[in-house]
Amino acid sequence: MKKRFKDKKKKGIAERKTEVKRKQEIPYKSVGLGLLLWLGITWLFYGQGVVHTPMISSGHEITTPVVAVVDFYCENLNETALNKQSATDAVPGVFILEENTIEEAVQNTDNFFNLLTAYHTASSNRQAEIFVELEEVIAGTKIKTQDLISSFPTNGIPALKEEIANGIRSVMAAGVISDESRVNLFNNKNGNTLTIVSSPGNQTRTAMQQDIYSTRTAVWTVTENLNNAAQRKILNRVLPYFIEEDLHYDSKATETARKAAADLVPPVIQKIPAGKTIARAGEKATEQTLMLLNEHTKQRIAEQDLWERALEVLGSSIMLLAGLIATAVILRTTNAPLIHQPDKVLLLIILSSITLGIARLLTYLSISYGLFSHSLLMYAVPFGLAVLLAGILLGGSAAITLGFWCSFASAVLYGEQFNIFALGMIVTITAASCVRNIHKRSSLFRAGIWICAVKVLFVLASAILNRPDMPVMIKEIITSVISGLIVTVMTLLLIPLFEKLFKITTDITLLELSDMGHPLLQKMAIQAPGTYHHSLMVATLAQNAAEAIGANSLLIRVCAYYHDIGKMAKPEFFTENIQHKENPHDELSPHMSALVISSHVKEGLTLAKRHKLPQPILDAIEQHHGNGLISFFYHKAKQAAKEGSGGSMSEVINDSDFRYGGAPAVTPEMAILSLADASEAAARSIEKPTPQKISNLMDEIFAMKIRDGQMDYANLTMAQINVVKQSFIFSLSNMLHGRIPYPKDDDNNTAKPTDPPSPESGKNSKAG
């Protein structure tokens, strides 16, 4: 304070009076929008209280120990699982008894005995046929057909058939399971209980495993009461072909029953006292660990009073406010004009709200519905979406600033996690670097691939530190790739929307407009070919100069193509289109000629709006002449007035009648276009152009533009203007280069008679 007072005292009176105080304008609208963003994000994040999201999943290594600060209750997953397993094991397997199989076995047995009866009663010829059939029935049993026939006399077959049928029905009704199924289902262990469901009828009964027959024991049970040993031996070998397994394991019904039994088991709840370590550093996180952490957090929140919760929300909101202030400072440092444009600030707010809203939604889905584990959240958040859109719509500095804010706010949301902030910034820098020179929509996929690659590398780097299980790491990689691809697609879909809403013209749109097949350019090439050629020359001239000072060369090139489209309304009134025709201005007064010339700006604006050209092209049409003087007709009017008044200049010529109705250039690109337009047109009037003549002409044009105030709002330094001028001199010197005159061949001026070609010469010419 004292130093400032002494400095003021040292200054003279005149110096103090003429001193201009710097007045810094505060962007109140942008500040208000920033406060609304802060309040909105605070409500979005903490409207339901602080969300505690553990960023660790099963399989991750625990880096810091966690000790319980309150008593809480938690389920013991291991004991609950043991109880459920016991309940599951107690549920018997469900088997379906196929009664149709029983009837098929009885029918096959009856057919066998009927063949034997038929053999005994048949004629000799018929017996031979039945003999063959019997051989087929007992094939593989090692029984001789003649022994079979002799062992079963005719008189004993009916009673034996009835006895065997009843025996089959009895044993198969109890249930038959093959030896193979018995090994697969019970491992040859006895004591298992089975639930048997009869089909059809769905009658249910319970049986012990030892009461169920195998195929072998079922046959022995059927034949054990036979007195004839020969018959018993033969039937023991034949009946296994008739008696089949009729109990079939129903895995689906069994699993349903066991699941229902497991669901009825109550969880084993245990008390965890305060002071007990619930997560140890260096150990792998398990489902039990995650449940302990979750229940501990819930209990700690439940024991907080309203004041403590409010303080926690207040602390988090202050963190967000600090991050927002830092973001504003970064934006003011890197792109100060942007902070004074409320519409652009609103766009940044919308983009950040989309990203942070998706982050909050993912958190809600993870906590409420468990759609994916918490460790995947950071890789699912679309950090690149806001950055890509901001980079394409507003430039790299805005993209990096917005990426910083989204990364910082996401880190606060997930509990001040540094790794989330680091991932967000890495994605931000990658995305901002990729969109610097994007001129095609397809190029966005390349940016998306780079974002996916960076995320995958981050997953691998984190895996070195946290050492997660392989399935967890694979899920993180897949989530990163899917998130990157979704970001790319969403960017492609949202670019046209934001271009339309905020009237922003991206390089992608400009490149599409640079197509020389555009209807306006094609029409100009036909109706006003001189103007078309002039526009191409101005585009080349301006583009080179823009690249020399770091301006937007693509924007200025496209604007140069369209800046004179208004001349198509009256092309014959402009010098470049007159060529060798009569000059229509000879029949007009200077005032009328100036009016016709200046009208091409208005006509151009009307035509551009009709074809829905973007705002930068409208600005180029309006500003490429600014409110400059139409000097040729102004001086012509002065000369006419002087001659008409006998040299007394009694008639006063108002120069405002000879000025264009546009506005001076307000950006470097429009200023360069204005200078290029005037320079290219004037350079055409130089006779035998040389670099020195071109340089002198450029000095005059640039000095005239500056004196006339056309560069006052262009945000160009004198050094940059000089660079532009030197670029024009170099480009025009090459455009207007001379050529060596070709010498005339006097010997060929005299016409010579033409002899008819000979056949030989025709052959020689064909051979050549």
Side-chain angles (χ1 to χ4, degrees):
M1 184 77 178
K2 289 181 179 180
K3 187 172 184 269
R4 197 188 310 166
F5 179 74
K6 287 180 180 178
D7 291 342
K8 188 175 181 181
K9 233 180 151 186
K10 289 178 182 177
K11 292 179 180 179
I13 296 174
E15 188 179 358
R16 289 204 301 270
K17 284 184 177 180
T18 57
E19 185 178 12
V20 179
K21 293 183 179 179
R22 285 191 173 182
K23 193 174 182 180
Q24 293 184 348
E25 294 183 3
I26 299 175
Y28 291 105
K29 291 184 179 179
S30 298
V31 172
L33 289 172
L35 290 175
L36 287 177
L37 173 64
W38 172 58
L39 293 174
I41 296 300
T42 301
W43 176 83
L44 178 67
F45 284 3
Y46 310 116
Q48 303 297 325
V50 176
V51 180
H52 297 274
T53 308
M55 298 305 297
I56 189 171
S57 291
S58 179
H60 276 253
E61 184 176 334
I62 300 171
T63 56
T64 56
V66 180
V67 179
V69 296
V70 293
D71 295 341
F72 67 99
Y73 292 89
C74 184
E75 178 185 352
N76 189 317
L77 294 179
N78 289 332
E79 293 187 12
T80 302
L82 288 174
N83 292 346
K84 288 188 175 185
Q85 186 62 45
S86 299
T88 300
D89 294 341
V91 175
V94 178
F95 288 79
I96 305 298
L97 178 65
E98 301 289 347
E99 294 187 0
N100 293 334
T101 305
I102 300 175
E103 294 305 318
E104 289 178 4
V106 172
Q107 185 64 43
N108 291 334
T109 305
D110 288 348
N111 293 338
F112 170 72
F113 284 113
N114 290 338
L115 275 176
L116 288 173
T117 302
Y119 180 84
H120 289 294
T121 60
S123 62
S124 300
N125 294 333
R126 176 64 181 147
Q127 280 184 341
E129 295 177 1
I130 297 175
F131 190 88
V132 173
E133 291 181 22
L134 286 172
E135 283 184 336
E136 292 177 356
V137 171
I138 63 176
T141 61
K142 297 182 180 180
I143 299 173
K144 294 181 179 180
T145 307
Q146 193 59 48
D147 294 341
L148 171 66
I149 294 171
S150 60
S151 298
F152 292 94
T154 306
N155 56 355
I157 289 178
L160 181 61
K161 181 173 71 172
E162 183 68 23
E163 182 180 355
I164 295 299
N166 292 333
I168 290 175
R169 286 192 180 94
S170 176
V171 297
M172 292 190 71
V176 177
I177 297 178
S178 66
D179 293 333
E180 182 181 359
S181 298
R182 191 180 295 269
V183 171
N184 293 334
L185 295 174
F186 307 117
N187 292 325
N188 278 332
K189 294 180 181 178
N190 293 321
N192 296 295
T193 304
L194 284 69
T195 298
I196 299 175
V197 180
S198 300
S199 175
N202 290 331
Q203 296 178 354
T204 304
R205 61 186 174 89
T206 303
M208 299 300 295
Q209 177 189 341
Q210 52 267 31
D211 296 333
I212 304 300
Y213 295 97
S214 66
T215 305
R216 186 174 61 255
T217 57
V219 171
W220 290 347
T221 302
V222 170
T223 61
E224 64 181 353
N225 295 324
L226 296 179
N227 296 324
N228 190 320
Q231 291 179 348
R232 185 167 60 249
K233 180 179 179 181
I234 290 173
L235 288 175
N236 283 340
R237 293 184 179 181
V238 173
L239 288 182
Y241 291 92
F242 303 149
I243 297 176
E244 297 179 350
E245 180 181 30
D246 63 349
L247 284 180
H248 299 286
Y249 181 66
D250 190 340
S251 59
K252 186 176 180 180
T254 303
E255 289 301 321
T256 301
R258 289 176 177 174
K259 186 177 184 301
D263 292 340
L264 294 175
V265 176
V268 178
I269 306 298
Q270 63 180 9
K271 181 179 180 181
I272 309 297
K276 183 177 180 180
T277 302
I278 56 179
R280 301 180 183 278
E283 293 182 351
K284 294 275 187 179
T286 61
E287 292 298 327
Q288 182 68 71
T289 308
L290 298 179
M291 182 173 285
L292 286 169
L293 292 173
N294 190 32
E295 294 299 327
H296 176 257
T297 301
K298 288 182 180 179
Q299 185 62 32
R300 187 166 61 85
I301 294 173
E303 292 185 7
Q304 286 180 335
D305 57 23
L306 183 61
W307 176 247
E308 289 176 329
R309 294 182 186 179
L311 285 178
E312 193 170 6
V313 172
L314 179 62
S316 298
S317 64
I318 291 174
M319 286 283 290
L320 287 175
L321 181 60
L324 192 58
I325 293 172
T327 303
V329 172
I330 295 172
L331 184 60
R332 188 175 181 276
T333 304
T334 57
N335 195 344
L338 186 62
I339 208 168
H340 293 276
Q341 302 176 42
D343 57 333
K344 302 297 190 297
V345 174
L346 177 61
L347 175 58
L348 291 175
I349 289 174
I350 292 174
L351 295 179
S352 68
S353 298
I354 292 174
T355 297
L356 298 178
I358 294 175
R360 184 65 181 89
L361 176 63
L362 292 173
T363 306
Y364 172 76
L365 295 176
S366 176
I367 294 176
S368 301
Y369 299 100
L371 294 183
F372 42 83
S373 63
H374 299 315
S375 68
L376 301 180
L377 281 176
M378 61 184 293
Y379 301 107
V381 175
F383 291 111
L385 177 61
V387 179
L388 287 175
L389 287 170
I392 293 170
L393 296 169
L394 300 175
S397 59
I400 293 176
T401 303
L402 190 62
F404 169 82
W405 161 244
C406 292
S407 303
F408 184 89
S410 299
V412 173
L413 171 63
Y414 295 131
E416 293 83 41
Q417 294 283 337
F418 172 76
N419 55 346
I420 294 180
F421 177 75
L423 175 61
M425 288 307 300
I426 291 172
V427 171
T428 294
I429 294 171
T430 303
S433 301
C434 290
V435 298
R436 284 185 305 171
N437 297 313
I438 284 187
H439 298 319
K440 295 181 181 178
R441 300 185 191 276
S442 59
S443 301
L444 271 174
F445 286 102
R446 183 182 60 193
I449 292 172
W450 275 107
I451 291 173
C452 293
V454 165
K455 281 191 169 185
V456 170
L457 289 175
F458 191 89
V459 170
L460 298 177
S462 299
I464 297 174
L465 299 175
N466 300 324
R467 293 188 286 278
D469 294 337
M470 185 59 68
V472 174
M473 188 176 71
I474 292 174
K475 288 180 181 179
E476 292 175 350
I477 291 175
I478 293 173
T479 303
S480 300
V481 173
I482 293 175
S483 174
L485 295 178
I486 291 175
V487 161
T488 305
V489 175
M490 288 183 66
T491 302
L492 280 171
L493 295 176
L494 291 175
I495 284 175
L497 175 64
F498 286 118
E499 279 186 304
K500 185 75 173 177
L501 289 177
F502 290 90
K503 297 180 180 178
I504 295 173
T505 306
T506 64
D507 286 352
I508 296 174
T509 301
L510 288 174
L511 196 66
E512 292 171 352
L513 289 171
S514 68
D515 182 9
M516 304 311 293
H518 191 280
L520 271 178
L521 298 179
Q522 289 291 303
K523 185 178 179 182
M524 184 165 63
I526 297 171
Q527 294 184 0
T531 302
Y532 178 78
H533 180 263
H534 162 72
S535 299
L536 295 182
M537 295 300 101
V538 170
T540 303
L541 201 63
Q543 183 178 9
N544 293 338
E547 291 175 353
I549 66 167
N552 191 334
S553 59
L554 177 61
L555 171 63
I556 200 169
R557 173 161 64 91
V558 176
C559 288
Y561 289 158
Y562 295 89
H563 78 286
D564 270 344
I565 57 176
K567 291 182 179 180
M568 285 190 290
K570 297 181 180 68
E572 68 277 4
F573 282 87
F574 297 89
T575 308
E576 64 266 23
N577 299 313
I578 293 176
Q579 297 180 356
H580 302 292
K581 302 175 185 177
E582 293 184 1
N583 191 338
H585 291 286
D586 295 340
E587 306 298 327
L588 300 177
S589 67
H591 284 81
M592 184 56 69
S593 293
L595 186 62
V596 172
I597 294 298
S598 62
S599 67
H600 85 274
V601 174
K602 183 179 178 181
E603 295 289 348
L605 289 172
T606 303
L607 201 56
K609 290 175 182 177
R610 189 183 306 158
H611 284 78
K612 297 181 180 179
L613 296 182
Q615 187 61 42
I617 294 180
L618 297 179
D619 294 339
I621 294 171
E622 183 183 12
Q623 298 174 23
H624 77 278
H625 285 302
N627 56 359
L629 185 68
I630 308 176
S631 56
F632 179 83
F633 293 108
Y634 174 66
H635 290 297
K636 184 177 179 181
K638 286 177 65 177
Q639 184 65 28
K642 183 176 180 181
E643 292 174 357
S645 60
S648 62
M649 287 293 293
S650 59
E651 182 183 354
V652 177
I653 302 300
N654 191 351
D655 68 344
S656 61
D657 295 336
F658 294 87
R659 287 189 175 274
Y660 289 97
V666 295
T667 63
E669 288 80 12
M670 296 303 107
I672 294 173
L673 177 61
S674 175
L675 293 167
D677 181 54
S679 300
E680 200 279 337
R684 293 292 174 182
S685 65
I686 302 176
E687 295 182 3
K688 296 182 180 180
T690 62
Q692 186 58 48
K693 289 182 180 180
I694 294 172
S695 179
N696 294 337
L697 180 62
M698 293 301 103
D699 289 339
E700 293 175 9
I701 291 174
F702 275 64
M704 180 186 68
K705 287 283 187 181
I706 294 172
R707 283 197 309 271
D708 200 29
Q710 301 304 313
M711 300 290 109
D712 289 355
Y713 309 101
N715 196 23
L716 280 174
T717 65
M718 292 304 296
Q720 289 176 319
I721 291 175
N722 187 57
V723 172
V724 171
K725 181 167 64 175
Q726 296 303 320
S727 174
F728 283 1
I729 293 171
F730 177 79
S731 298
L732 289 171
S733 297
N734 286 280
M735 288 180 185
L736 305 176
H737 64 276
R739 283 186 177 272
I740 299 173
Y742 291 99
K744 296 181 179 179
D745 192 351
D746 295 333
D747 295 337
N748 292 331
N749 289 340
T750 305
K752 294 181 180 180
T754 304
D755 296 329
S758 64
E760 288 77 6
S761 63
K763 292 179 182 179
N764 293 336
S765 64
K766 288 180 182 178

